């Protein structure tokens, strides 16, 4: 159970139960769709990007607790951030969920997202945690295609 | 629970023949003895692939240790021996399905390739623009996509027989879809996502009364039911070795001899020819016409060993034991608060698919895995079925005759743990 508590930390369960920014975004000027064919996770990320700054961000979709909480906490931590900051945080997040167990993280750098450090111990769940971020990346880049984890 | 279920659900089942002792059966499956995450492995994913009895593993090992050789071409001792073992397996499969001759058994890579073979060879020969192909709403992707490809190529139209809320094939709707345009029917025998056993004999009869040939996808049926293609009178029947306790990479197409004779080859190459010149090639006789290239010889021989093993245990006794276990599992799982069963057909085999209120199937899978319990989560390669039931993903526990009531109890404890964690 201790490993499971690492994965399903209270903050993750909370964001799964009550996802933040879980709606369509009025005035969105960027959207992207993400899909995890392995487990059927599907989400849409909405952005309002003005002068390289994320003025608004939200998401919709269905997925497991990890992907839903990840999307929820991503949107909560990116509002008001620049595009460059968002991409940098994605990189840090990605490193955190894929890094070797011995690697520790600067809590200041990852903030609340540290809750996802337990995902490292569950390699098959990494895709769930990163799907919202990959989708965000596609929206920022205006790739206009469906993101898939496969 | 009804008394009859209690009797059948017992781990030791007395029958007209020797008693069925699941603990003794489990001794035959080395993989089941291990621990996963510190817990005894509870393998409830046999619908994805079944475990292999030691005799199958030993047969494959023995082939590579002492018999390895190519078949149908060598004049030397080993090749003759390998050819004999390979063709013995074909005869065993023919007997297993009650085909009238071993010539009606074609070896392919799996049930999926089998359906593709029939679609591309028989289908293309038979189907033209405006014609219709009927499948059901509970098909695996492997019995949807090959027909969609054929429809795209020919301009034919795919028709889908709907299912009811229990996940049962609607025979009346099927009757309405059958028309002079229908050129082919392809239906699953046992649904991998729902466990529904379809009335395939009836389905075949109704199609045949209009002169329409029928393929039955038996991937999930062959490991659990006695299949008799003679009695079913189906035109094609496909299954996979790896779901029948045999090696991966081997599948079987049963086809009525007169169909196979009339069909063009599926792939070209060695072994499927009689003679080749640059001007003209003469194809080999059936079934070899459909077996281009060196096949999975060890796998086919291993499948023969799996069939011998099943004969020894007795498929009738397997079906009786499993039906008791399924009843036990259905009752136990559905009793957990928040659980909703997906697929509650009257006629079912070996599968308990469920969703848990407020919890995604993928999370259930991870938590159960920590308890050593292997189930399948997701869409089970049958996305239209999930769309029908309005769920994005389900959790599926699938049973085989080596599973026990104790393992079902572990599953139920695991699901309760999920509920606790997600509160």
């Amino acid at each position: 159970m201790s490993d499971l508590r690492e994965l399903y930390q209270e903050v993750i369960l909370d964001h799964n139960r009550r996802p933040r920014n879980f709606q369509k975004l009025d005035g969105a000027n960027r959207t992207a769709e993400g899909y995890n064919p392995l487990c059927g996770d599907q989400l849409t990320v909405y952005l309002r990007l003005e002068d390289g700054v994320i003025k608004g961000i939200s998401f919709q979709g269905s997925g497991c607790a990890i992907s839903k909480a990840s999307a929820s906490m991503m949107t909560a931590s990116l509002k008001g951030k620049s595009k460059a900051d968002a991409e940098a945080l994605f990189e840090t997040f990605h490193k955190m969920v894929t890094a070797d167990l011995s690697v520790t993280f600067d809590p200041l750098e990852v903030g609340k997202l540290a809750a996802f450090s337990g995902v490292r111990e569950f390699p098959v769940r990494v895709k769930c945690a990163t799907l919202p971020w990959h989708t965000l990346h596609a929206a920022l880049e205006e790739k206009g295609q469906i993101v898939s984890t496969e | 629970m009804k008394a009859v279920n209690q009797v059948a659900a017992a781990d030791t089942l007395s029958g007209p023949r020797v008693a069925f002792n699941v603990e003794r059966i489990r001794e035959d499956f080395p993989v089941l003895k291990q621990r996963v995450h510190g817990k005894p492995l509870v393998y409830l994913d046999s619908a994805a692939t079944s475990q292999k009895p030691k005799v199958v593993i030993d047969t494959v090992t023995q082939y590579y240790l002492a018999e390895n050789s190519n078949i149908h071409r060598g004049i030397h001792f080993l090749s003759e021996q390998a050819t004999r073992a390979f063709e013995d397996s074909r005869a065993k499969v023919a007997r297993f399905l009650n085909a009238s001759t071993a010539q009606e058994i074609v070896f392919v890579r799996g049930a999926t390739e089998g359906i593709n073979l029939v679609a591309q060879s028989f289908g293309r020969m038979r189907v033209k623009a405006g014609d219709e192909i009927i499948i059901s709403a509970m098909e695996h992707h492997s019995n949807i996509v090959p027909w969609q490809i054929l429809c795209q190529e020919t301009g034919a139209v795919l028709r889908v027989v709907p299912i009811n809320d229990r996940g049962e094939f609607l025979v009346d709707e099927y009757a309405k879809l059958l028309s002079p345009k229908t050129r082919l029917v392809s239906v699953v025998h046992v649904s991998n996502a729902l466990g529904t056993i379809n009335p395939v004999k009836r389905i075949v009869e109704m199609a045949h009364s209009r002169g329409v040939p029928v393929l039955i996808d038996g991937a999930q049926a062959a490991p659990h039911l006695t299949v008799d293609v003679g009695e079913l009178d189906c035109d094609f029947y496909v299954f996979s070795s790896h779901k029948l306790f045999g090696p991966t990479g081997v599948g079987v197409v049963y086809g009525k001899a007169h169909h196979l004779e009339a069909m063009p080859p599926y792939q070209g190459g060695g072994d499927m020819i009689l003679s080749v010149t640059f001007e003209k090639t003469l194809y080999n006789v059936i079934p070899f016409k459909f077996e281009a290239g060196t096949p999975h010889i060890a796998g086919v021989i291993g499948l023969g060993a799996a069939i011998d093993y099943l004969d020894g245990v007795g498929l009738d006794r397997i079906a009786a034991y499993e039906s008791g276990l399924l009843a036990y599992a259905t009752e136990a799982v559905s009793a957990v608060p928040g659980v909703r069963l997906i697929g509650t057909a009257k006629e079912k085999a070996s599968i308990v698919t469920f969703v848990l209120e407020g919890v995604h199937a993928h999370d259930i899978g991870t938590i159960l895995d920590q308890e050593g319990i292997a189930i399948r989560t997701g869409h089970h390669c049958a996305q239209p079925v999930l769309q029908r039931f309005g769920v994005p993903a389900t959790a599926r526990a699938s049973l085989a005759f080596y599973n026990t009531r104790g393992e079902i109890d572990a599953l139920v404890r695991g699901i309760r743990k999920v509920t606790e964690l997600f509160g």
Side-chain angles (χ1 to χ4, degrees):
Chain A
M1 203 68 169
S2 62
D3 284 353
L4 281 175
R5 281 289 176 199
E6 276 294 299
L7 180 66
Y8 294 109
Q9 297 189 20
E10 203 44 57
V11 59
I12 290 179
L13 293 174
D14 176 58
H15 276 263
N16 174 51
R17 268 193 295 269
R18 299 184 299 116
R20 323 294 198 265
N21 308 304
F22 189 59
Q23 72 261 319
K24 211 174 160 181
L25 183 68
D26 288 334
N29 54 11
R30 303 279 176 92
T31 64
E33 212 178 310
Y35 190 58
N36 181 346
L38 181 74
C39 48
D41 289 353
Q42 176 275 324
L43 90 164
T44 307
V45 170
Y46 302 93
L47 284 181
R48 197 170 75 245
L49 196 66
E50 287 171 16
D51 304 324
V53 174
I54 297 170
K55 295 285 191 186
I57 178 167
S58 72
F59 80 105
Q60 278 186 313
S62 69
C64 64
I66 304 301
S67 75
K68 210 166 178 183
S70 176
S72 172
M73 290 174 75
M74 176 185 81
T75 58
S77 54
L78 289 182
K79 209 173 282 183
K81 291 268 169 49
S82 71
K83 186 178 161 184
D85 285 347
E87 295 284 18
L89 194 54
F90 177 20
E91 200 177 311
T92 308
F93 182 83
H94 195 269
K95 273 187 196 153
M96 180 179 73
V97 295
T98 54
D100 190 82
L101 290 176
S102 59
V103 180
T104 51
F105 291 92
D106 180 358
L108 287 177
E109 202 183 349
V110 289
K112 284 182 180 170
L113 298 179
F116 290 94
S117 61
V119 173
R120 287 184 287 179
E121 293 182 49
F122 298 83
V124 295
R125 305 306 299 273
V126 169
K127 286 173 177 177
C128 310
T130 55
L131 177 68
W133 289 89
H134 283 292
T135 312
L136 166 84
H137 177 73
L140 287 171
E141 296 295 313
E142 279 193 295
K143 282 185 173 168
Q145 64 194 34
I146 293 176
V147 178
S148 171
T149 56
E150 293 303 301
Chain B
M1 197 196 281
K2 281 179 284 183
V4 60
N5 287 344
Q6 276 169 351
V7 171
D11 283 351
T12 305
L13 184 74
S14 306
R17 292 198 272 155
V18 201
F20 184 93
N21 183 334
V22 71
E23 289 308 328
R24 197 175 304 155
I25 294 283
R26 289 174 70 81
E27 289 297 311
D28 298 334
F29 292 82
V31 82
L32 298 177
K33 294 188 178 94
Q34 69 192 292
R35 297 174 82 83
V36 168
H37 301 306
K39 310 275 171 59
L41 168 66
V42 174
Y43 188 76
L44 297 174
D45 198 19
S46 294
T49 195
S50 61
Q51 297 301 346
K52 322 304 174 199
K54 188 159 185 300
V55 62
V56 168
I57 300 165
D58 288 347
T59 300
V60 171
T61 306
Q62 183 58 24
Y63 168 76
Y64 284 124
L65 280 176
E67 298 156 15
N68 178 55
S69 179
N70 213 329
I71 55 168
H72 297 151
R73 59 202 75 183
I75 191 142
H76 56 79
F77 176 77
L78 285 187
S79 173
E80 263 184 54
Q81 216 179 13
T83 304
R84 196 176 312 126
F86 187 88
E87 292 306 322
D88 277 354
S89 272
R90 198 189 303 276
K92 285 173 190 173
V93 171
R95 210 173 50 241
F96 180 74
L97 293 177
N98 194 28
S100 41
T101 139
Q103 286 182 311
E104 296 181 315
I105 303 302
V106 178
F107 287 119
V108 289
R109 281 185 302 149
T112 296
E113 189 178 35
I115 297 172
N116 278 277
L117 184 156
V118 176
Q120 286 301 311
S121 173
F122 185 74
R124 261 206 269 191
M125 177 180 89
R126 200 178 151 78
V127 171
K128 57 183 192 315
D131 288 345
E132 294 181 354
I133 298 165
I134 295 180
I135 61 172
S136 86
M138 67 176 95
E139 300 307 323
H140 188 280
H141 295 164
S142 61
N143 198 25
I144 301 173
V145 184
W147 305 113
Q148 285 175 329
I149 293 172
L150 180 65
C151 287
Q152 278 160 14
E153 286 169 349
T154 58
V157 181
L158 200 58
R159 295 282 178 201
V160 182
V161 179
I163 56 178
N164 64 19
D165 290 343
R166 291 191 298 275
E168 290 165 329
F169 182 95
L170 293 173
V171 175
D172 292 348
E173 299 296 321
Y174 169 57
K176 285 183 212 159
L177 285 177
L178 277 169
S179 83
K181 290 182 181 169
T182 311
R183 303 294 285 163
L184 234 156
V185 172
S186 187
V187 172
V188 72
H189 194 166
V190 173
S191 158
N192 75 307
L194 303 167
T196 310
I197 303 174
N198 279 323
V200 283
K201 191 170 162 55
R202 181 102 192 272
I203 290 168
V204 171
E205 275 168 9
M206 289 166 69
H208 281 184
S209 71
R210 291 178 168 274
V212 176
V214 181
L215 180 152
I216 304 293
D217 169 6
Q220 297 294 345
H224 304 290
L225 313 172
T226 301
V227 176
D228 184 335
V229 294
E231 198 216 340
L232 286 178
D233 197 29
C234 57
D235 299 271
F236 299 95
Y237 196 97
V238 301
F239 73 88
S240 289
S241 155
H242 76 96
K243 293 194 204 286
L244 194 75
F245 317 98
T248 56
V250 174
V252 165
V253 176
Y254 157 81
K256 283 184 175 170
H258 71 273
H259 289 318
L260 295 178
E261 298 278 8
M263 285 157 61
Y266 171 54
Q267 292 175 337
D271 221 23
M272 55 77 72
I273 50 87
L274 287 179
S275 76
V276 176
T277 66
F278 287 117
E279 289 71 38
K280 189 173 168 58
T281 290
L282 284 179
Y283 300 134
N284 206 336
V285 294
I286 64 164
F288 309 111
K289 183 169 74 174
F290 297 102
E291 294 179 354
T294 297
H296 185 2
I297 302 168
V300 166
I301 295 171
L303 171 61
I307 289 174
D308 286 343
Y309 177 79
L310 286 173
D311 279 346
V313 181
L315 258 177
D316 47 346
R317 292 193 307 140
I318 287 174
Y321 175 73
E322 285 184 357
S323 113
L325 193 64
L326 178 66
Y328 183 80
T330 303
E331 182 158 317
V333 171
S334 60
V336 180
V339 162
R340 175 185 156 209
L341 293 185
I342 304 288
T344 48
K346 249 177 85 191
E347 299 291 330
K348 263 190 82 172
S350 74
I351 280 165
V352 181
T353 296
F354 62 97
V355 290
L356 191 54
E357 201 184 333
V359 188
H360 191 277
H362 211 173
D363 296 311
I364 301 174
T366 291
I367 294 166
L368 292 182
D369 176 57
Q370 290 298 302
E371 299 296 313
I373 303 167
I375 61 157
R376 172 89 191 261
T377 65
H379 53 60
H380 318 296
C381 297
Q383 287 179 335
V385 176
L386 274 73
Q387 286 153 16
R388 167 66 177 74
F389 286 92
V391 290
T394 63
R396 179 188 71 189
S398 54
L399 314 174
F401 61 96
Y402 42 64
N403 291 123
T404 66
R405 282 181 302 162
E407 291 181 310
I408 303 301
D409 296 342
L411 170 69
V412 169
R413 282 196 301 275
I415 302 172
R416 288 188 189 278
K417 200 162 231 175
V418 176
T419 316
E420 257 170 57
L421 191 72
F422 273 75

